[in-house]
Amino acid sequence: MHLLFSEHFDVQYNDIVLVMKDIIVLLSVVVLCDGAAQTCTNNLKWPSEASSGTFSGYTSYDAELDSGYLMEAVEYHTPDDCTCGLLYKWIFHPQAPGPIEFQVWEHLDHQSYKLKGENYFTVPTAAVGETIEFLVPERDRITIRNNYLIGWYGAASGIIGYKEDDEAYSDEARREPNMGNLDPSHEPTFDWSSGSSVVHADRIYAIRAESYSNTAPEFTNLPREVWIYGDATAGAYIYQVAADDIDPKDVSTLFVYDIAEDSTKIVYLAVSRPAIGTYSMTFEVQDQCLNTNQATLTIIVKNWAPSLTNLPSFASISESTTNEVALFTIQFTDKDNTTLDEKYALNVSPTNSDISIKYVGHDKTNRSVVSARSTSYDYTIAQQYIIDITLEDGEFDTDKGYFMLYITKNDPPKFTNLENGAQANISYVTTAAGDTVYAVSVTDAENDALTFTMTCDPVGCPLEIDGDNGVISANQDFVGNIYGTGWDLSITVSDGVTTTVARSLSVIVHDINDVPQIVNLGLSDAIAVHEGTALGTVVYTVSYIDLDTADTHTFHATYNPTLAANYFEMNITSGTLTTANNVLDYEELDPNWSIVVTVTVSDGIDRATGTLTILIRNVNEAPYFHQTKYTLEPPEEGTFGASAGDWRPGLSDPDLDIDSPLDTHAYTWDCGIYTRYFRMARVGGAVTYATKFDYDSVSFTAPYDCVVTVTDKAGLSATTTLEIDIHDVNDNTPVFVTTTDNYIFQTPSLDPGRLVGQVTATDKDRSTENNRIYYSFHTTPFTKNFLLINDYGNIYVNETWVAPQFNYGISYVLIVKAENVKDEDGTVRSATATVTLFLSGTTTPEVITTDRPFKFVEDNRNIAWLAVALTFGGVLLVIVCGFMMMYTIQIKRYRWCIPWCRKHLLGLKKMTRREKRRYYRGLLMQAELDETDDDSNEEHAETALQPDHGDSDDETAAPPMLWDRLKARGDPITRGPTVRKPGVPRAAVYDEPKPQLKKNASEMLKASKSNFWT
């Protein structure tokens, strides 16, 4: 039996909702299960065979242990007219004693069944062979539905008898050996189609079941009426609904929402402070066979009555009271908070309309009995008032309290310190605005609010009285403002009912001071102060006079604008104004500054003031650079007048802005020997090229420093350093010494690592990163890497050279590429050159289509022996020519060549005609002497060229270089050379003209086009 709850509401007010926990779930289940109750016929037995009487012929039974039985025959199914009921009785015929568990199964699918319940029975030995009717106790009765199947389990044996060969039933019984005991509390599922299952066809077992109808559930604590109060809050517990069922198998399913709540339904409050009223909730309980029952829960929400908690009470008030006064604050309680609509009623005796109840306080939430501002009580008319206060909470409940108000008689205020001509003495020197001169003292029995008034004689005294407390004070400083000697004051006081008679107070002033005077301020002209004036320089000294010679005087200064206080200072004792704190800077200040200095001299009591005007004058100051060093990076190339870059000189001039026409700045610079490459503009300092420039063509190396000087119009200057840093650009392509006529001669058999030859290229770029050259083969005639070239242009053998690939008489053409590093824009500059490799020697030539016939000079061996032969021949030729020269000069048969040699080798063509005649004549005479004299008697003489005397053409004049034997022979030597004797001073030596130098041999060989390497 499956029980369900539903509920219905009968609510008077819309502002409160009472709900049942999980009601949505319950109502949805009720809808699904809605319909007529399901029934089962009482005492209905099945199967119908032998439904009455005893079993006969059922003598056999199964002796196997631990076996379960399932009656699959349709006749053993719960009949269709038992849609929902209870299994009331088991009727069976045992053939063996022992325990037996009667079972009810629900068919799920195929051979799967769910165990719905078990009844336990033990067959005694005496009952074997008898028909037993087992009436199941109420607590163990199993809920059944049509088509449920019956079965049993025997731990010791099958117990129930059967008979064979009976075809009364169309289906069979199924037996499961070793089934084991099942726990029906969890309704386990069992597969009866397992391999060990045994099917018994046409076997009838002596067992039948009997049903009984299901009983409807009932509420155990309904109907019921409960009360709650209006101050209850949401979630408050109201009631717990309980139900029960006589059918115990239905009890566990009465509350489907939460079995853990012990089969209870809890009613609770859904909102706080519900409206007062009566609410009805109708509950319905339903079991699993759709049997229902209903009951009602009535909930009454009651109201709490309000309570005045601080009445009765009383208060007193003076008859002189004129202000609105809160006499009493009403305090109350109301648990259900319905006092939001509270109502007060006042009954005042005797009648006084000015007494009322008002909301008071900053939030206007307190309720007080007040006396209105316009009330005027009269003690002689009424001494007390009785006030009845009634409070309603807006519903039907009330409370009442009493308040007594007593009126007291007024007592006028009295002066306590203005009797017998009171007097106050005050100081002229020390009295300042706000200082207390006198405090009038008054007493008042009722402590009423008092009001003071005052008049003075003579009129206009510098005194005033506080109307609330009677304090008399000065309303201004006396020093420098007051010159009277005293005043008579007339004072009254009132408590709002009575005003007293005026009383007098005499105020006397003493120690009046003489005021000092400044004598040298108020100048017609301003005082000029130049910028940069040293700190501590005296600007002006203020003078004064004072009749009170014993006074001590102090000086103070204020400045307009106030910023001037940062530049000037007044000496407090001497009155000297000096520059201080910060040096004046005309450019930092407003050029139109006119500083007004207000000077005050005080004697401690009074003071005098005067003004002084100061003007700041501008002074020229030197400019300055913002940095000690700047950097300029001109491009590598530039034309005359082109910009070399912007070095952005940060220049400041304290006098004014650089661009102002009031001052000018001229730039000059000195770069030493490098000044000629760039020039600097006098205005602005822009740097341009002084000539066409290419960094790769000049002889200096950057960076270098220049000294830049800037001068203003007054001649003041500043210097800085400008670093010229020319960055080399990769703008030149590598260049080979020769690009085509490059030849290498080698033998055909070389091992790896052997140097074959070298190529060389150059790059005009200045920097290492831009002129570094890398060599590689652009193309080679080889299919393998027989040759390698390194970064220095050296060509090496990489793999062994063997025939027939390498043999005498073969040549190869290699194209070598020279590359330098990539420049900033990612380009690569390169050049190529052709190198011809010859394998020198004469062997049987091998036909190679790319080769050409050898020339004589293409064989390294030919070049080697030819070079040796030429060298030897040249040396031999020089020696032979030397001997021939000597012989030509010394031997007479070759004298005819002397003039030619003298002329072409000694450069005599530069001599004058007269000198030439004398020279040749001397040679002829020397030759004659050589023919007549022996070599053994030969004397050497040194001749000197005598000066020419006139234009005489005397043919007897002796030519130079005559042997001294000419004189010994008696020949005339008129003007010829003389023989130098011992002790005789040496004559001037004639220097023969030197021959003209020949051309440089290297220039003569430039015509050669071929370069040979070994």
Side-chain angles (χ1 to χ4, degrees):
M1 184 168 58
H2 190 72
L3 303 184
L4 297 174
F5 275 118
S6 62
E7 55 184 342
H8 306 282
F9 295 95
D10 182 11
V11 184
Q12 287 182 320
Y13 301 98
N14 294 328
D15 59 349
I16 181 173
V17 178
L18 293 171
V19 300
M20 177 181 292
K21 185 178 289 185
D22 297 321
I23 186 172
I24 297 176
V25 175
L26 293 172
L27 290 178
S28 65
V29 174
V30 170
V31 173
L32 292 174
C33 298
D34 192 17
Q38 300 175 355
T39 61
C40 187
T41 304
N42 291 338
N43 304 118
L44 177 65
K45 300 180 179 64
W46 72 95
S48 60
E49 190 269 337
S51 60
S52 63
T54 60
F55 295 98
S56 61
Y58 295 86
T59 58
S60 301
Y61 75 97
D62 297 312
E64 287 83 357
L65 302 178
D66 195 25
S67 296
Y69 295 83
L70 179 66
M71 307 307 293
E72 288 189 320
V74 177
E75 288 77 7
Y76 287 93
H77 294 191
T78 303
D80 292 339
D81 53 357
C82 183
T83 56
C84 187
L86 301 175
L87 198 151
Y88 168 71
K89 183 188 299 183
W90 293 96
I91 304 171
F92 62 99
H93 188 74
Q95 291 298 318
I100 186 172
E101 298 174 13
F102 296 101
Q103 299 175 333
V104 176
W105 294 86
E106 179 185 3
H107 189 191
L108 298 178
D109 55 30
H110 191 48
Q111 298 299 331
S112 295
Y113 295 82
K114 179 186 290 187
L115 180 61
K116 302 299 291 184
E118 288 183 334
N119 296 136
Y120 303 93
F121 187 80
T122 301
V123 179
T125 304
V128 174
E130 300 293 334
T131 299
I132 298 175
E133 293 188 3
F134 171 37
L135 182 62
V136 180
E138 288 185 355
R139 67 178 181 277
D140 296 330
R141 293 175 182 176
I142 303 171
T143 300
I144 57 175
R145 295 181 181 274
N146 60 311
N147 292 324
Y148 277 14
L149 286 75
I150 61 175
W152 70 93
Y153 167 75
S157 65
I159 297 180
I160 296 178
Y162 65 86
K163 61 182 179 179
E164 300 279 4
D165 299 328
D166 193 323
E167 298 181 358
Y169 297 154
S170 61
D171 212 335
E172 65 277 343
R174 187 178 297 273
R175 178 170 58 86
E176 181 66 30
N178 303 318
M179 179 178 180
N181 194 8
L182 302 177
D183 182 5
S185 63
H186 295 91
E187 296 189 353
T189 300
F190 189 77
D191 185 2
W192 284 87
S193 64
S194 63
S196 60
S197 177
V198 179
V199 178
H200 298 286
D202 300 330
R203 176 184 286 187
I204 301 175
Y205 285 88
I207 184 172
R208 68 173 59 91
E210 184 174 336
S211 66
Y212 204 82
S213 61
N214 193 290
T215 305
E218 294 182 353
F219 290 100
T220 60
N221 59 352
L222 290 181
R224 184 64 59 85
E225 180 180 288
V226 295
W227 293 356
I228 62 173
Y229 282 88
D231 61 338
T233 58
Y237 170 83
I238 297 177
Y239 196 67
Q240 180 173 298
V241 179
D244 199 0
D245 197 312
I246 194 172
D247 301 324
K249 293 296 183 180
D250 290 347
V251 173
S252 62
T253 59
L254 289 178
F255 306 105
V256 296
Y257 69 99
D258 192 352
I259 297 178
E261 292 192 358
D262 195 20
S263 302
T264 58
K265 283 291 182 176
I266 298 176
V267 180
Y268 65 95
L269 187 60
V271 296
S272 297
R273 300 189 178 279
I276 308 302
T278 300
Y279 301 85
S280 296
M281 300 180 67
T282 301
F283 294 89
E284 181 179 284
V285 62
Q286 184 183 83
D287 63 12
Q288 58 184 334
C289 291
L290 302 184
N291 297 312
T292 63
N293 213 331
Q294 292 185 350
T296 301
L297 175 65
T298 302
I299 302 171
I300 300 175
V301 181
K302 300 181 69 68
N303 176 54
W304 289 102
S307 175
L308 294 169
T309 59
N310 61 343
L311 290 178
S313 185
F314 67 92
S316 62
I317 189 171
S318 174
E319 67 171 335
S320 62
T321 302
T322 58
N323 296 329
E324 184 177 281
V325 178
L327 302 174
F328 178 73
T329 299
I330 301 172
Q331 295 179 357
F332 65 92
T333 59
D334 193 335
K335 293 183 179 180
D336 52 17
N337 201 33
T338 55
T339 53
L340 293 174
D341 298 325
E342 77 276 3
K343 299 177 181 178
Y344 293 93
L346 270 71
N347 182 19
V348 183
S349 178
T351 302
N352 189 329
S353 61
D354 292 330
I355 299 176
S356 62
I357 294 179
K358 290 185 177 181
Y359 291 94
V360 296
H362 69 280
D363 55 357
K364 302 298 182 181
T365 57
N366 295 327
R367 302 157 180 85
S368 297
V369 178
V370 299
S371 172
R373 186 182 301 274
S374 60
T375 301
S376 178
Y377 298 103
D378 190 343
Y379 180 80
T380 61
I381 296 176
Q383 291 79 41
Q384 68 178 14
Y385 292 90
I386 302 173
I387 304 172
D388 296 340
I389 301 175
T390 302
L391 173 64
E392 297 182 2
D393 63 0
E395 297 294 336
F396 307 101
D397 298 311
T398 62
D399 195 14
K400 180 180 287 188
Y402 299 93
F403 179 74
M404 300 294 295
L405 178 61
Y406 298 98
I407 307 302
T408 59
K409 184 175 177 59
N410 179 61
D411 189 9
K414 299 179 179 59
F415 290 104
T416 61
N417 62 348
L418 289 182
E419 305 296 338
N420 302 321
Q423 179 177 304
N425 295 317
I426 58 176
S427 171
Y428 170 82
V429 175
T430 61
T431 301
D435 288 352
T436 298
V437 175
Y438 197 80
V440 178
S441 177
V442 177
T443 61
D444 187 81
E446 297 85 12
N447 291 324
D448 293 334
L450 303 178
T451 304
F452 293 86
T453 59
M454 182 188 76
T455 60
C456 61
D457 183 26
V459 178
C461 65
L463 304 174
E464 60 186 9
I465 190 169
D466 189 319
D468 295 329
N469 56 28
V471 174
I472 300 172
S473 59
N475 59 16
Q476 58 181 305
D477 295 341
F478 277 22
V479 174
N481 298 313
I482 303 304
Y483 301 100
T485 59
W487 302 271
D488 291 326
L489 308 181
S490 178
I491 303 169
T492 62
V493 63
S494 173
D495 63 1
V497 177
T498 305
T499 301
T500 63
V501 177
R503 298 297 177 91
S504 63
L505 173 66
S506 298
V507 178
I508 299 174
V509 181
H510 61 86
D511 61 15
I512 298 176
N513 181 59
D514 185 63
V515 179
Q517 296 180 2
I518 298 175
V519 297
N520 63 341
L521 288 184
L523 303 176
S524 59
D525 296 326
I527 297 176
V529 179
H530 292 85
E531 68 167 326
T533 300
L535 299 180
T537 301
V538 176
V539 177
Y540 196 74
T541 300
V542 180
S543 300
Y544 68 92
I545 59 173
D546 191 343
L547 298 179
D548 295 329
T549 58
D551 291 347
T552 299
H553 298 80
T554 57
F555 293 86
H556 298 278
T558 59
Y559 305 90
N560 185 23
T562 57
L563 183 62
N566 296 330
Y567 301 93
F568 297 95
E569 185 178 68
M570 174 66 70
N571 187 289
I572 193 172
T573 57
S574 65
T576 300
L577 181 67
T578 61
T579 56
N581 302 323
N582 298 286
V583 177
L584 290 167
D585 190 337
Y586 181 82
E587 288 72 27
E588 291 184 357
L589 304 175
D590 187 347
N592 299 319
W593 244 24
S594 176
I595 302 172
V596 177
V597 184
T598 301
V599 181
T600 301
V601 58
S602 173
D603 61 2
I605 299 175
D606 289 302
R607 58 186 177 274
T609 60
T611 59
L612 174 69
T613 303
I614 298 175
L615 296 178
I616 308 301
R617 297 301 186 190
N618 188 25
V619 176
N620 185 56
E621 297 174 81
Y624 62 90
F625 287 97
H626 296 172
Q627 299 174 207
T628 59
K629 188 172 185 178
Y630 295 85
T631 300
L632 177 64
E633 298 181 355
E636 178 185 353
E637 295 181 358
T639 59
F640 172 76
S643 173
D646 186 5
W647 62 288
R648 298 184 180 276
L651 181 67
S652 295
D653 191 328
D655 293 317
L656 39 85
D657 187 82
I658 295 177
D659 295 331
S660 173
L662 299 179
D663 203 353
T664 57
H665 300 86
Y667 287 84
T668 59
W669 71 344
D670 183 6
C671 303
I673 61 174
Y674 308 120
T675 306
R676 62 192 180 92
Y677 295 104
F678 300 93
R679 64 181 180 180
M680 177 175 285
R682 288 184 60 81
V683 178
V687 179
T688 58
Y689 290 95
T691 182
K692 184 177 181 181
F693 183 81
D694 187 347
Y695 184 55
D696 294 330
S697 302
V698 297
S699 59
F700 68 87
T701 301
Y704 61 86
D705 291 340
C706 301
V707 177
V708 179
T709 302
V710 62
T711 306
D712 66 7
K713 64 180 182 180
L716 300 179
S717 64
T719 61
T720 188
T721 300
L722 177 61
E723 179 185 76
I724 306 297
D725 187 4
I726 304 173
H727 287 288
D728 184 38
V729 179
N730 186 12
D731 59 347
N732 290 291
T733 301
V735 177
F736 283 96
V737 176
T738 177
T739 59
T740 56
D741 296 332
N742 302 305
Y743 304 101
I744 299 176
F745 299 90
Q746 284 291 352
T747 59
S749 297
L750 296 177
D751 295 329
R754 172 67 180 272
L755 176 64
V756 176
Q758 183 182 20
V759 292
T760 303
T762 60
D763 191 309
K764 291 179 62 178
D765 288 315
R766 295 289 299 276
S767 61
T768 303
E769 62 271 16
N770 290 334
N771 63 22
R772 184 183 294 112
I773 297 176
Y774 301 92
Y775 297 90
S776 62
F777 286 123
H778 185 63
T779 59
T780 65
F782 307 115
T783 58
K784 298 175 63 177
N785 294 328
F786 285 102
L787 294 177
L788 292 178
I789 187 169
N790 64 12
D791 290 341
Y792 302 100
N794 296 323
I795 302 175
Y796 293 92
V797 176
N798 185 44
E799 295 187 20
T800 304
W801 293 8
V802 295
Q805 178 70 28
F806 297 92
N807 213 334
Y808 288 105
I810 300 176
S811 64
Y812 299 96
V813 177
L814 311 174
I815 298 180
V816 179
K817 180 167 66 173
E819 295 179 312
N820 62 1
V821 296
K822 295 182 180 179
D823 57 14
E824 296 177 355
D825 60 4
T827 60
V828 178
R829 301 188 181 277
S830 62
T832 60
T834 302
V835 177
T836 303
L837 173 61
F838 296 98
L839 301 184
S840 305
T842 57
T843 60
T844 303
E846 179 179 346
V847 179
I848 300 177
T849 57
T850 59
D851 290 344
R852 59 180 175 79
F854 267 119
K855 296 180 181 179
F856 175 82
V857 296
E858 293 177 349
D859 192 334
N860 289 344
R861 293 173 296 178
N862 294 342
I863 297 299
W865 67 259
L866 180 61
V868 173
L870 290 176
T871 302
F872 179 77
V875 172
L876 183 60
L877 180 60
V878 171
I879 295 174
V880 171
C881 290
F883 279 107
M884 291 178 64
M885 293 277 300
M886 294 175 59
Y887 185 76
T888 302
I889 296 174
Q890 299 296 335
I891 303 175
K892 60 182 178 179
R893 63 175 174 267
Y894 292 107
R895 70 173 61 94
W896 55 268
C897 68
I898 292 176
W900 185 90
C901 292
R902 293 290 186 180
K903 177 179 179 180
H904 293 282
L905 296 181
L906 300 180
L908 294 181
K909 61 183 180 179
K910 295 182 180 180
M911 299 172 60
T912 63
R913 184 176 299 174
R914 183 184 299 276
E915 290 172 342
K916 289 180 181 179
R917 287 198 301 268
R918 291 174 61 197
Y919 179 72
Y920 291 132
R921 185 176 299 166
L923 290 178
L924 292 177
M925 293 175 68
Q926 182 177 345
E928 294 176 358
L929 290 176
D930 290 341
E931 292 178 356
T932 59
D933 296 339
D934 292 332
D935 293 338
S936 60
N937 296 325
E938 193 170 70
E939 295 182 3
H940 298 281
E942 187 177 48
T943 61
L945 182 63
Q946 299 296 323
D948 190 10
H949 299 281
D951 295 328
S952 175
D953 293 334
D954 189 1
E955 295 296 333
T956 63
M961 299 181 66
L962 290 178
W963 300 98
D964 56 0
R965 286 190 295 274
L966 181 62
K967 182 178 180 181
R969 196 175 61 178
D971 293 337
I973 306 176
T974 307
R975 290 191 297 270
T978 61
V979 178
R980 181 172 59 88
K981 301 297 182 179
V984 180
R986 182 176 181 178
V989 178
Y990 173 76
D991 292 332
E992 295 182 355
K994 296 181 180 180
Q996 185 178 7
L997 296 177
K998 300 297 183 180
K999 291 184 178 180
N1000 192 320
S1002 61
E1003 296 179 1
M1004 299 173 66
L1005 296 177
K1006 283 185 177 180
S1008 177
K1009 296 183 179 179
S1010 300
N1011 298 321
F1012 302 97
W1013 303 323
T1014 58

